[in-house]
Amino acid sequence: MRRNIEVSGKNLEEVLERASRYFEVAKEELGYEILAETRGFLGILSPKMIRVKVWMEDDEENTAKKASLPHEDNKGRPQAPVKKSNRQEPRRNARQSQPGKEIREQKEVNPEELSMSREELRNFFEGLATRMNLDVEFHIRDNGRKILLDIDGKDAGILIGKHGETMEAIETLLKTFLIKRGHFGIGLEVDISGYRDRRIDTLTRLAKRMADRVVEENKRLKLEPMSARERRIIHTTLKNHAQVTTYSVGSDPERRVVIDLKNARRRHKKPNRQRRK
Amino acid sequence: MVKALVDNPEQVSVSEVEGEQSVIYEVRVAADDMGKVIGKQGRIARAIRTIVKAACVKGGKKAVVEILE
């Protein structure tokens, strides 16, 4: 079976290296086809890009060859960028000091790769928004590790969806897109009209209110199903609470937080008490 | 949108079946790409459905997405 990915990078060498990491086979095992060579948006600022379709014939032979993957190769640094990219010099050290190889392990992502994936995301999302016929504005920035996509505008509400459902979906989709394009290890966070912060607020307040209720009524409470990220907010909010403890039950997407009293013994006590009477 | 996610974009086709209150989108992809479109535990498929649904809010119609081989 043939497996394809589309990878973009500065030059063919780099692209193939990235692809070989992805497929976990040696570069020599890969087939490729150059789809496009483009100059980035901002001329001087963004480097030339090349998009390549890379594939691997997925058979046992190749799996066996995985072993021969050069693990520690510092030999084949992508040195020579493809023709006529004569403004390589200003783009200094970044490349030499952190070869593309280690992107996955590194917390700091290669700035060039970041700006490249930002560009690709921009195009993709722009297309999506237009296709959806939505009146939104967005801007993309990054903090050195993650890409942050902020969306705003008249139709932002549609993109948030119920409890941020649509927003999460967009995030999932865009993340998949990034991986497909060969940008691994780049985080992405989508935010719409400051929804995330507001949601954190709401959840924090909810957590506290519910904790009070648990203490007051002396019974545990199950919250609504939430995403992992939202559950975490509840857990962290109540982590240092003197009287209650939290845990989760069920499985996604129905997993929900339970708030309970810290030493909740009443379940066993109750019948006893009744018997004594 | 789906095309960006698969290996064989030339084999992706989307057809619309429009009903009175709803639109059914049939997405056909190459057999090899099924997994890509559906994703782990249907995550990607779910994301696609949610987004398509959202897109239709404006048109005032319900949308159903079916993924076929």
Side-chain angles (χ1 to χ4, degrees):
Chain A
M1 192 183 91
R2 177 182 276 197
R3 292 162 61 203
N4 295 302
I5 49 166
E6 255 175 56
V7 190
S8 41
K10 222 171 55 184
N11 55 44
L12 189 58
E13 181 88 7
E14 184 199 325
V15 164
L16 289 182
E17 207 152 293
R18 205 122 47 78
S20 93
R21 249 182 303 143
Y22 177 79
F23 286 130
E24 299 183 298
V25 297
K27 270 184 280 184
E28 291 70 32
E29 303 300 320
L30 300 170
Y32 64 89
E33 176 193 341
I34 296 178
L35 298 175
E37 282 183 75
T38 50
R39 189 164 284 287
F41 256 43
L42 301 165
I44 310 168
L45 285 180
S46 50
K48 210 177 79 149
M49 275 206 289
I50 173 173
R51 185 187 305 295
V52 186
K53 183 166 165 186
V54 187
W55 60 83
M56 181 190 81
E57 301 298 336
D58 199 5
D59 52 18
E60 269 148 51
E61 197 199 353
N62 273 336
T63 324
K65 273 180 189 150
K66 273 184 190 177
S68 70
L69 221 198
H71 279 299
E72 296 226 345
D73 64 323
N74 300 312
K75 331 153 202 164
R77 269 300 64 69
Q79 222 60 278
V82 208
K83 44 177 188 170
K84 71 186 170 193
S85 30
N86 36 11
R87 43 167 94 96
Q88 294 296 319
E89 307 79 51
R91 259 185 296 105
R92 73 310 49 203
N93 38 41
R95 189 94 296 223
Q96 284 107 304
S97 60
Q98 36 173 281
K101 272 259 124 100
E102 284 129 33
I103 286 170
R104 216 198 278 250
E105 292 93 74
Q106 274 169 353
K107 281 276 171 271
E108 285 292 310
V109 183
N110 183 329
E112 283 169 32
E113 182 160 8
L114 258 182
S115 76
M116 217 141 62
S117 27
R118 243 175 34 206
E119 250 359 279
E120 286 177 35
L121 259 187
R122 165 165 299 135
N123 293 336
F124 183 62
F125 185 74
E126 212 157 52
L128 188 66
T130 323
R131 211 78 71 76
M132 286 173 82
N133 224 340
L134 294 181
D135 182 5
V136 289
E137 296 152 30
F138 66 99
H139 75 276
I140 302 181
R141 59 205 162 89
D142 67 74
N143 63 5
R145 284 180 302 121
K146 260 188 187 171
I147 296 180
L148 308 162
L149 169 64
D150 290 308
I151 307 172
D152 213 333
K154 207 177 103 228
D155 289 335
I158 294 176
L159 281 182
I160 296 177
K162 192 174 137 211
H163 296 315
E165 199 181 49
T166 310
M167 186 170 83
E168 299 293 340
I170 290 172
E171 199 176 280
T172 308
L173 190 80
L174 295 181
K175 275 180 184 161
T176 316
F177 168 76
L178 278 184
I179 291 170
K180 185 74 182 60
R181 285 297 164 87
H183 301 296
F184 316 107
I186 292 188
L188 170 73
E189 205 172 292
V190 179
D191 194 9
I192 305 177
S193 316
Y195 179 80
R196 282 215 201 272
D197 280 348
R198 265 185 293 146
R199 187 75 182 148
I200 291 175
D201 261 22
T202 318
L203 287 174
T204 317
R205 264 184 283 124
L206 175 87
K208 288 180 181 150
R209 213 171 51 231
M210 288 302 151
D212 288 348
R213 243 179 85 185
V214 168
V215 175
E216 229 164 75
E217 297 175 16
N218 192 29
K219 67 175 188 205
R220 70 191 146 159
L221 275 174
K222 246 187 205 177
L223 304 184
E224 291 288 298
M226 287 172 201
S227 70
R229 198 180 292 175
E230 296 188 340
R231 292 198 305 270
R232 208 175 134 226
I233 296 169
I234 306 275
H235 291 309
T236 14
T237 313
L238 298 178
K239 199 176 61 188
N240 295 319
H241 196 285
Q243 295 165 75
V244 301
T245 174
T246 58
Y247 53 89
S248 302
V249 293
S251 56
D252 275 322
E254 287 295 308
R255 202 163 159 78
R256 30 168 82 192
V257 177
V258 179
I259 306 179
D260 200 350
L261 285 171
K262 245 182 191 150
N263 18 34
R265 292 257 186 71
R266 61 181 183 283
R267 249 176 305 161
H268 311 289
K269 271 184 184 167
K270 238 182 212 162
N272 282 346
R273 224 181 280 148
Q274 278 168 352
R275 223 178 291 147
R276 244 175 253 152
K277 269 184 186 173
Chain B
M1 177 168 101
V2 177
K3 281 188 186 174
L5 302 177
V6 298
D7 281 344
N8 305 306
E10 64 285 355
Q11 286 182 51
V12 174
S13 69
V14 179
S15 58
E16 270 182 68
V17 183
E18 203 155 330
E20 231 163 83
Q21 277 168 26
S22 61
V23 191
I24 300 171
Y25 293 95
E26 291 183 344
V27 180
R28 282 172 197 277
V29 296
D32 284 358
D33 286 332
M34 277 304 269
K36 289 245 167 53
V37 177
I38 294 169
K40 195 168 147 200
Q41 311 240 318
R43 268 179 60 207
I44 301 173
R46 192 159 6 111
I48 294 175
R49 291 203 172 101
T50 312
I51 293 173
V52 172
K53 249 184 250 163
C56 292
V57 169
K58 269 199 137 177
K61 281 191 174 180
K62 288 204 171 134
V64 183
V65 178
E66 278 172 25
I67 297 170
L68 307 162
E69 204 167 282

